[in-house]
Amino acid sequence: MRLRLTFSKTDIIRFTGHLDLHRALERSMRRAKLPLAYSQGYNPRPRLTLALALPLGYTSECEIAEFWMKQDQALKDVAAALAKTIPQGVVVNKLEEIPLKAPKPQVLIQSAEYIITLLESVPDLTQRIEDLLATESLPIQRKRKGKLRNVDLCPLIYNIEILSENKTGQQRMLVHLAAREGATGRADEVLKSIDLNPHLTRIHRTQLHIQDGKITDIKGV
Amino acid sequence: MLSSQEIQQKLDSVLFQVQKPGRYTGGELNQVVKDWEMVETKVAFVFPDIYDLGMSNYGLAILYDLVNQRDDALAERAYSPWTDMEAVMREHNIPLFSLESKQPIANFDILAFSLPYETLYTNTLNILDLSRIPIFSRDRTEAHPLVIAGGHAALNPEPMHAFIDAFVIGEGEEVIQEIIDHYQKWKQKDAPREELLHSLAQIWGVYVPSLYESHYFEDGTLSHMEKLYDQAAMPVIKRIVPKLPPPTTNLLVPFVNTVHNRLPIEIMRGCTRGCRFCQAGMITRPVRERSVQEILDALQEAMDKTGFEEVGLLSLSSSDYTHVLELVRAVSEKFGERALSISLPSLRIESFSVDLMDALKETRRSGFTLAPEAATERMREVINKPVSTQQLLDTACEIYSRGWTNIKLYFMIGHPEETLEDVKAIADLCKAVLKEGEKVIGRKAKVTAGVSTFIPKPHTPFQWSPCDTEEQILAKQALLKRELRGPGLKLNWNESKETFLESSLSRGDRRLAEVIFGAWKKGAKFDAWFEHFNYDTWLEAYAEVDIDPDFYTHRPRHIDEVFPWDHIDSTVRKKFLTEDFLMSKRRETRIDCRHRCFACGILPTFTKLRMQNPGEIWQCPEVKPHKERGNHLPTKEDRNLAKVV
């Protein structure tokens, strides 16, 4: 059976990168003694995929992991077993069965929303955002496999909107960025483009969108 | 000093600025956090290199678990912050803290370092500094933690004598508990620090360097060590656990990837092979084995607690473990369903090893590692690793024909008696092995040669030998680079300057403490990292105190020279080592001492322990009580034994 786990990434596990989180989830499933399905070959790994990498240091409430089991089990039993072994900082929001043939979440996801909280006040934030949204093209460089690549950030930014301040009076904004395979906007790049230091912000992913909806709306695609 | 809450608050902001912040958060699965205020004695275990390496240190994992099993003590961890984090910590005035409760290290009662190798010495000083603890032992008061250290490098503690209050010589499982007991008694009495040191010196396996003084001859060699405290031991006998306790199953599971990110289980301690270059093989005797059942039980328990996907069955020589095939089959059978892969380090060069690897069905068939260490039979006799070239080639052929494509061969250059012909033979042997592979699988066959440089170590038969000079090393490496070329061949080697530091420190005396301090003051740290190691800094540090490093590295030692580590008794006697050294010059070898005891010194030192632990647990011959001896005509074997007992 194929299962989808929707979870939050909070607390210290925000400092665990994508691959390391993958390994931590694998191990928690092994500790839970779930009848995991393994890949073939000399180095079998449990069939487990994480939908969209979350950059180091970000928190999230909408992470998706999908995994396969050799035998069917009642969802509540799987959930109970996982609850005991899930790594500290990972909070399970939902566990559901999805059809074996459903498309991969990586293919479905179109965009992601982030709430960014500024630790230090920026008086001209509105102006900076307006200027950014008015820009036609925003070339940035990304390093991948040791090579620098030119990317235009503009088409990857869908929207930026200023939210009300939080309880401690910190400024917040909602950033909606493309998250398709091969076309993903990064919140820290957006911050740098408006001259903000990402270290002085806290970034939290709130929502993954698919075509015409949110990923959490779909069932049995 | 900041409180743990203040440290946590500062971390919440600075962790965003450093690489791999997960190194500094703690919170790993199975970490133990006790109520700080409720526990009498707090021990901080520190590996003086980064988290990624330190988390894979098995010794500390064992001790962490053992101490945390006590109700009246707690153990927490710390590692060297990487340079980016150190800069941030110094800028924000954050002292070194424990990962569990974020307490400043200076607030602990005992600070215990693992010192497996010499290139961690400057990092050790740096940790003391980051912890705001006086660097020199003599400057510490009752207000500071007790600073102790153990690990293989502690078998020659002298270069670090000025910085460490007490060394543990040998195995830590029991002695750590005794140290805590002595500490608690002292603390309750509210007595001066000196009294604690005196008390610790009474424990078997503990060396308190401040209770001794070294005296030298005019030529700079050691004349003798003098005891400054009557009841201090002379020599200090290495500590052992007579029977290995059950393996630790409460193992931490890191989030951040580490060098050995797997479940470690020690199956055997010690080695009976007697390779003359190998310090571990000499200082970890006697050989003690765990039973297959004990290993399987521990594995089951540890798998349930950790979820690791790989187990390392650890020992110095896997194929020498008596029941290795039975063990490997049982593990594959029992855990195959859970896709557990098994790593089995240090296999002997024989077809049995290939059978063993074959039994590990899930193993990835890319590389198979063998360590002939030297390429000519003459050299292998000198180092007492007598494997014939034919045996090696046969084994290689077997490996290639069972599906492996790459054979990794480990060699060392710089062995005593080595000539350039012996070095060239490394290249020839690699080519011969490759040829075997090409016969079986054609151009797919590959050979990778890993060639490191031999560094003579204390407590080994080669402790008298000079280390190669930089010119010699470079010439030998140039020869290899020239000869070991072509499709299918790959050569890895160590930079010659890397060898210098380890070789000058490993056989050092007390005078080197000043050199280490000087080098650290000038910025030396992470010396085990080639990109950080600064050769010139060390040369300056030596020059400043007018010490010639060549005295320690390249000087041939006289056969009856008193060594700075002679008062540390590894229980393999100097007489045995001398004999073995002289044998090496005559190319005489000794067989595996499981088959014949050569009276290295273990049994006479530990007669009683052996009697109390009869049978297969030790691989040394049995020792019978006196009254049972001589009741029958002695056989040849008994006579050999008699010499020992």
Side-chain angles (χ1 to χ4, degrees):
Chain A
M1 73 191 289
R2 176 174 167 185
L3 297 115
R4 175 180 291 163
L5 183 71
T6 311
F7 61 95
S8 299
K9 200 179 171 194
T10 66
D11 196 24
I12 57 165
I13 199 129
R14 68 160 66 173
F15 296 119
T16 298
H18 185 63
L19 292 175
D20 292 339
L21 176 68
H22 192 280
R23 191 184 311 104
L25 285 176
E26 244 181 74
R27 287 175 177 170
S28 66
M29 290 174 179
R30 290 169 64 87
R31 290 194 298 278
K33 296 191 181 161
L34 299 178
L36 299 169
Y38 286 85
S39 63
Q40 299 296 307
Y42 278 127
N43 193 20
R45 301 281 303 257
R47 287 192 63 193
L48 167 75
T49 59
L50 293 182
L52 183 64
L54 186 71
L56 203 69
Y58 290 25
T59 52
S60 168
E61 58 190 69
C62 57
E63 296 307 290
I64 304 274
E66 290 191 355
F67 60 102
W68 282 255
M69 301 202 312
K70 280 180 285 195
Q71 290 124 34
D72 288 4
Q73 272 188 5
L75 277 180
K76 66 171 182 16
D77 295 341
V78 178
L82 271 180
K84 284 186 202 137
T85 65
I86 207 85
Q88 188 184 333
V90 172
V91 180
V92 176
N93 300 329
K94 196 176 190 186
L95 181 71
E96 59 201 316
E97 183 174 2
I98 56 169
L100 288 171
K101 292 264 159 67
K104 286 181 186 170
Q106 291 92 314
V107 181
L108 291 171
I109 294 169
Q110 298 295 313
S111 63
E113 281 179 21
Y114 302 85
I115 290 181
I116 302 177
T117 308
L118 308 189
L119 302 184
E120 288 176 6
S121 157
V122 178
D124 61 340
L125 183 64
T126 317
Q127 189 58 49
R128 292 194 202 186
I129 291 170
E130 276 170 14
D131 290 349
L132 174 66
L133 293 175
T135 314
E136 303 252 302
S137 147
L138 196 63
I140 56 158
Q141 287 196 317
R142 278 186 189 165
K143 209 172 172 178
R144 209 177 157 190
K145 289 180 187 165
K147 276 188 200 155
L148 283 177
R149 220 159 43 95
N150 290 317
V151 178
D152 185 3
L153 196 57
C154 260
L156 302 177
I157 303 174
Y158 290 178
N159 193 25
I160 304 177
E161 128 189 21
I162 295 198
L163 300 174
S164 58
E165 290 174 358
N166 68 8
K167 273 177 257 162
T168 47
Q170 288 168 321
Q171 290 165 291
R172 296 188 309 154
M173 52 189 184
L174 181 70
V175 178
H176 189 185
L177 300 173
R180 298 185 305 278
E181 283 188 308
T184 302
R186 284 183 56 127
D188 52 333
E189 287 170 347
V190 173
L191 289 169
K192 279 182 203 154
S193 73
I194 53 173
D195 212 17
L196 292 176
N197 180 354
H199 293 155
L200 299 176
T201 68
R202 293 293 174 266
I203 307 172
H204 179 71
R205 183 146 78 194
T206 54
Q207 200 67 258
L208 297 175
H209 293 278
I210 58 168
Q211 210 85 49
D212 313 316
K214 293 179 260 176
I215 195 155
T216 41
D217 297 338
I218 48 165
K219 211 174 254 174
V221 180
Chain B
M1 188 97 51
L2 298 179
S3 70
S4 65
Q5 290 87 344
E6 288 165 325
I7 290 175
Q8 183 63 63
Q9 274 166 17
K10 291 206 175 197
L11 285 178
D12 285 343
S13 71
V14 301
L15 283 183
F16 287 88
Q17 303 168 30
V18 298
Q19 286 175 42
K20 296 203 191 178
R23 287 168 175 163
Y24 314 107
T25 58
E28 304 90 335
L29 181 71
N30 299 331
Q31 81 164 12
V32 181
V33 190
K34 296 190 182 179
D35 185 344
W36 185 265
E37 299 302 330
M38 299 303 288
V39 176
E40 187 180 344
T41 308
K42 291 104 174 172
V43 184
F45 285 108
V46 177
F47 188 86
D49 205 310
I50 53 167
Y51 179 91
D52 320 32
L53 292 169
M55 271 294 277
S56 296
N57 183 281
Y58 191 47
L60 287 187
I62 294 171
L63 299 178
Y64 178 81
D65 179 37
L66 286 174
V67 172
N68 274 323
Q69 283 180 26
R70 288 173 74 127
D71 290 331
D72 60 352
L74 63 78
E76 302 198 352
R77 298 160 295 138
Y79 306 94
S80 293
W82 189 239
T83 49
D84 60 342
M85 182 64 172
E86 181 182 335
V88 166
M89 287 167 68
R90 290 195 188 271
E91 182 196 339
H92 294 265
N93 219 6
I94 304 174
L96 188 69
F97 53 89
S98 66
L99 294 185
E100 281 78 359
S101 59
K102 311 291 181 293
Q103 283 285 346
I105 294 302
N107 286 358
F108 282 78
D109 296 295
I110 300 173
L111 168 52
F113 283 101
S114 171
L115 291 179
Y117 38 86
E118 296 81 359
T119 41
L120 297 180
Y121 290 168
T122 52
N123 274 20
T124 304
L125 269 51
N126 206 39
I127 294 236
L128 290 168
D129 186 54
L130 279 167
S131 307
R132 323 257 169 88
I133 296 169
I135 304 285
F136 285 94
S137 178
R138 59 165 186 262
D139 296 331
R140 291 178 205 134
T141 68
E142 288 75 17
H144 297 113
L146 171 73
V147 178
I148 62 175
H152 287 185
L155 269 283
N156 177 17
E158 296 302 80
M160 289 293 280
H161 81 285
F163 317 111
I164 304 294
D165 301 327
F167 288 93
V168 166
I169 311 297
E171 298 166 3
E173 286 104 327
E174 292 174 354
V175 77
I176 188 71
Q177 309 286 21
E178 290 164 29
I179 290 173
I180 294 172
D181 294 342
H182 282 238
Y183 183 91
Q184 289 178 339
K185 272 195 197 122
W186 167 77
K187 188 97 180 175
Q188 283 153 11
K189 275 201 299 194
D190 204 19
R193 191 174 172 89
E194 195 183 17
E195 211 166 289
L196 171 63
L197 297 179
H198 286 176
S199 154
L200 293 174
Q202 316 287 320
I203 303 174
W204 166 27
V206 175
Y207 172 59
V208 179
S210 59
L211 306 182
Y212 302 77
E213 195 180 350
S214 57
H215 298 276
Y216 301 90
F217 291 118
E218 263 184 26
D219 66 357
T221 60
L222 192 72
S223 145
H224 64 283
M225 292 299 290
E226 183 194 352
K227 276 203 289 187
L228 302 177
Y229 172 61
D230 229 19
Q231 291 168 60
M234 182 76 99
V236 177
I237 294 172
K238 167 185 90 167
R239 188 68 185 255
I240 61 166
V241 287
K243 181 183 186 306
L244 297 185
T248 301
T249 58
N250 298 319
L251 293 155
L252 290 153
V253 184
F255 290 128
V256 173
N257 204 7
T258 56
V259 285
H260 297 302
N261 198 344
R262 63 183 185 208
L263 179 109
I265 292 194
E266 186 187 28
I267 59 174
M268 172 176 83
R269 194 172 294 178
C271 179
T272 49
R273 292 273 148 184
C275 300
R276 289 175 179 134
F277 54 84
C278 180
Q279 190 191 36
M282 296 290 160
I283 63 175
T284 59
R285 294 177 179 203
V287 169
R288 285 142 295 162
E289 297 190 350
R290 287 195 164 110
S291 74
V292 172
Q293 196 53 50
E294 191 174 42
I295 296 164
L296 290 175
D297 291 346
L299 185 51
Q300 177 78 57
E301 210 179 296
M303 287 270 292
D304 292 349
K305 286 184 196 169
T306 64
F308 278 116
E309 52 294 292
E310 182 183 346
V311 59
L313 299 173
L314 307 182
S315 72
L316 290 173
S317 174
S318 297
S319 24
D320 285 328
Y321 172 64
T322 310
H323 308 287
V324 65
L325 196 56
E326 184 191 337
L327 174 68
V328 165
R329 284 194 179 134
V331 174
S332 303
E333 203 169 294
K334 216 167 160 203
F335 301 98
E337 178 79 356
R338 289 160 83 173
L340 178 70
S341 67
I342 306 169
S343 91
L344 206 57
S346 310
L347 292 171
R348 265 190 343 236
I349 302 169
E350 55 185 24
S351 58
F352 175 64
S353 303
V354 193
D355 294 340
L356 262 179
M357 289 298 276
D358 241 356
L360 311 179
K361 291 191 194 68
E362 311 295 344
T363 314
R364 214 200 294 227
R365 302 245 155 149
S366 52
F368 196 115
T369 304
L370 297 174
E373 310 290 1
T376 55
E377 288 180 12
R378 182 186 82 89
M379 274 321 295
R380 288 196 291 264
E381 283 160 5
V382 170
I383 63 175
N384 200 42
K385 194 159 186 181
V387 182
S388 75
T389 301
Q390 194 52 50
Q391 194 177 337
L392 174 66
L393 294 178
D394 291 347
T395 310
C397 179
E398 193 69 37
I399 293 168
Y400 285 121
S401 51
R402 296 216 210 162
W404 281 272
T405 53
N406 187 8
I407 296 187
K408 290 181 197 156
L409 295 174
Y410 284 153
F411 295 98
M412 280 191 281
I413 51 170
H415 290 301
E417 319 284 321
E418 185 183 60
T419 64
L420 281 178
E421 280 78 64
D422 295 308
V423 178
K424 183 173 176 297
I426 294 177
D428 296 339
L429 185 59
C430 290
K431 288 176 191 162
V433 167
L434 185 64
K435 214 170 194 178
E436 290 297 318
E438 283 170 349
K439 275 190 230 161
V440 189
I441 54 169
R443 308 292 294 267
K444 268 197 298 182
K446 287 190 173 50
V447 169
T448 306
V451 183
S452 55
T453 305
F454 170 61
I455 295 169
K457 290 277 168 130
H459 304 288
T460 68
F462 287 160
Q463 60 183 349
W464 287 271
S465 304
C467 186
D468 268 359
T469 61
E470 196 185 349
E471 294 73 45
Q472 286 172 307
I473 298 170
L474 287 174
K476 288 174 180 179
Q477 288 180 340
L479 175 67
L480 285 174
K481 288 180 211 171
R482 204 163 55 234
E483 293 287 330
L484 256 176
R485 267 186 209 171
L489 290 169
K490 191 169 181 276
L491 170 68
N492 298 323
W493 69 92
N494 294 85
E495 293 298 332
S496 59
K497 287 191 166 57
E498 276 179 271
T499 311
F500 155 83
L501 183 61
E502 199 182 328
S503 71
S504 68
L505 293 177
S506 72
R507 289 182 293 170
D509 54 34
R510 293 195 162 199
R511 291 171 296 193
L512 292 191
E514 268 193 89
V515 179
I516 296 166
F517 181 68
W520 170 73
K521 270 279 175 201
K522 290 173 195 304
K525 63 185 172 194
F526 287 111
D527 293 310
W529 296 72
F530 191 63
E531 67 265 38
H532 279 280
F533 170 60
N534 192 327
Y535 182 65
D536 294 332
T537 303
W538 278 95
L539 285 189
E540 280 168 35
Y542 272 103
E544 224 159 66
V545 291
D546 208 17
I547 288 179
D548 179 6
D550 290 359
F551 177 81
Y552 300 97
T553 48
H554 308 313
R555 180 175 60 91
R557 270 94 166 150
H558 197 269
I559 195 73
D560 54 11
E561 179 171 332
V562 176
F563 291 134
W565 54 91
D566 277 353
H567 61 299
I568 304 297
D569 188 358
S570 78
T571 67
V572 172
R573 289 173 170 173
K574 197 171 183 185
K575 184 167 158 281
F576 170 84
L577 297 176
T578 312
E579 215 173 79
D580 213 49
F581 176 56
L582 295 173
M583 283 175 77
S584 83
K585 291 186 172 294
R586 300 192 299 267
R587 290 173 52 184
E588 287 170 11
T589 58
R590 297 201 213 237
I591 56 167
D592 184 340
C593 72
R594 277 172 200 251
H595 306 303
R596 194 191 139 186
C597 176
F598 294 105
C600 68
I602 291 287
L603 279 182
T605 313
F606 299 129
T607 314
K608 253 203 193 133
L609 289 182
R610 178 59 175 135
M611 280 164 65
Q612 289 158 1
N613 294 277
E616 238 198 352
I617 332 175
W618 284 36
Q619 295 299 313
C620 294
E622 297 265 9
V623 178
K624 294 178 192 128
H626 272 287
K627 54 182 179 221
E628 282 175 36
R629 292 179 209 160
N631 288 344
H632 55 90
L633 285 174
T635 62
K636 195 177 164 210
E637 211 182 329
D638 289 336
R639 268 200 298 275
N640 282 333
L641 244 180
K643 270 187 251 154
V644 179
V645 186

